Amino acid sequence: DIGCGSGILTLASVAMGAPIAYGIDIDNEALQHSSQNACLNQLDQQCTFCLPTQFKWKPSSQSVLILMNMIQSEQQIAWASLPSLHDQPGEYLTSGIRTEERHAYLALTDQWGWSLQEEQEEAGWLAFYFKKI
């Protein structure tokens, strides 16, 4: 969960069956709040919250699920800060993209090697489902 905020997507991932989940944010207060939420929901053993600089991932053939709910410019910065994930196969769920930014965003995700599977629009905002093999 890149840009985890309160950690709700991280916690939901574990609650829905993910064996482990990472919440990554640049705001220490958000990370503290996320950790508290994990403890309150008794999910703290499966959730790790950290700054991008603290995130350690050993690339593997195991598929991952990446979640990002932030505007395009923030997604671009966040993704650049996590190079250990760039070649990782998996599924990518993103949202927070304005309809007028669609073309530029899809060009960016194409550079990242993501293959568009599905998109949805609501009230001028877009959400996407990508895969990377």
Side-chain angles (χ1 to χ4, degrees), residues 58-107:
K58 294 180 186 175
S60 71
S61 60
Q62 183 180 6
S63 184
V64 297
L65 174 62
I66 306 289
L67 308 169
M68 284 196 284
N69 179 27
M70 57 184 104
I71 63 173
Q72 178 179 334
S73 60
E74 291 173 342
Q75 285 189 30
Q76 192 167 2
I77 292 166
W79 190 245
S81 73
L82 298 164
S84 64
L85 292 173
H86 291 187
D87 293 326
Q88 190 63 44
E91 298 176 277
Y92 300 78
L93 299 174
T94 66
S95 57
I97 306 303
R98 296 183 191 119
T99 53
E100 61 268 17
E101 297 172 330
R102 180 185 183 276
H103 180 72
Y105 183 70
L106 291 178

Side-chain angles (χ1 to χ4, degrees), residues 101-115:
E101 297 172 330
R102 180 185 183 276
H103 180 72
Y105 183 70
L106 291 178
L108 179 64
T109 58
D110 188 54
Q111 290 175 10
W112 294 343
W114 299 2
S115 175

Side-chain angles (χ1 to χ4, degrees), residues 17-37:
I20 59 168
Y22 295 89
I24 304 166
D25 208 295
I26 60 171
D27 183 347
N28 280 316
E29 286 184 32
L31 295 171
Q32 284 181 320
H33 186 69
S34 295
S35 293
Q36 291 170 348
N37 284 338

Side-chain angles (χ1 to χ4, degrees), residues 6 11 29-44 49:
S6 67
L11 301 177
E29 286 184 32
L31 295 171
Q32 284 181 320
H33 186 69
S34 295
S35 293
Q36 291 170 348
N37 284 338
C39 287
L40 288 170
N41 288 281
Q42 299 176 348
L43 299 171
D44 51 310
F49 297 97

